[in-house]
Amino acid sequence: MIWKPVTLINRTETGQDALGNSIYGESPGSQFPARFTPWDAQDIALEGREVTVNQRKLLIRIPRTEFPDCQKVQFEGEIYEVIQVTDLSPRFTLLYVKKY
């Protein structure tokens, strides 16, 4: 299994517009080793084939307690939106991601 770096994309407030609403920008954050994991037959049966075509599972080699809050990640040159974060203690965090 090849572990490749995943970059977390942080959402930061960059200012305010004329009405006082916050304007947000994205900036790269921490990097961790990660790899895609395959869907198994049970996942496909529960989620449906349409979901598994558009979404992926990304295994990150850090515990959930050390995983910072983020909405997007960049992996292998593509940006993915984080749908769900699952704790696989004590060493891993599993992200369900959707291509952005």
Side-chain angles (χ1 to χ4, degrees):
M1 302 285 175
I2 297 175
W3 293 87
K4 298 180 181 178
V6 62
T7 303
L8 306 182
I9 299 175
N10 299 322
R11 184 177 174 200
T12 57
E13 187 174 343
T14 58
Q16 293 186 342
D17 63 8
L19 298 175
N21 300 318
S22 298
I23 299 173
Y24 294 95
E26 296 176 348
S27 61
S30 305
Q31 285 191 337
F32 301 103
R35 69 177 184 89
F36 283 124
T37 60
W39 292 102
D40 59 16
Q42 184 180 8
D43 289 334
I44 293 172
L46 290 173
E47 302 290 340
R49 188 67 189 147
E50 298 80 29
V51 171
T52 59
V53 167
N54 295 322
Q55 295 182 9
R56 309 235 14 215
K57 295 190 302 184
L58 187 63
L59 186 66
I60 298 180
R61 200 166 46 191
I62 61 167
R64 174 68 175 110
T65 56
E66 295 178 22
F67 183 76
D69 188 29
C70 71
Q71 288 80 31
K72 296 179 188 173
V73 295
Q74 183 175 10
F75 188 67
E76 295 182 339
E78 300 285 340
I79 295 181
Y80 297 91
E81 180 182 2
V82 177
I83 304 296
Q84 179 182 345
V85 181
T86 304
D87 184 13
L88 300 179
S89 293
R91 294 178 42 198
F92 300 102
T93 300
L94 181 67
L95 303 179
Y96 286 81
V97 294
K98 184 176 183 179
K99 196 168 187 178
Y100 189 74

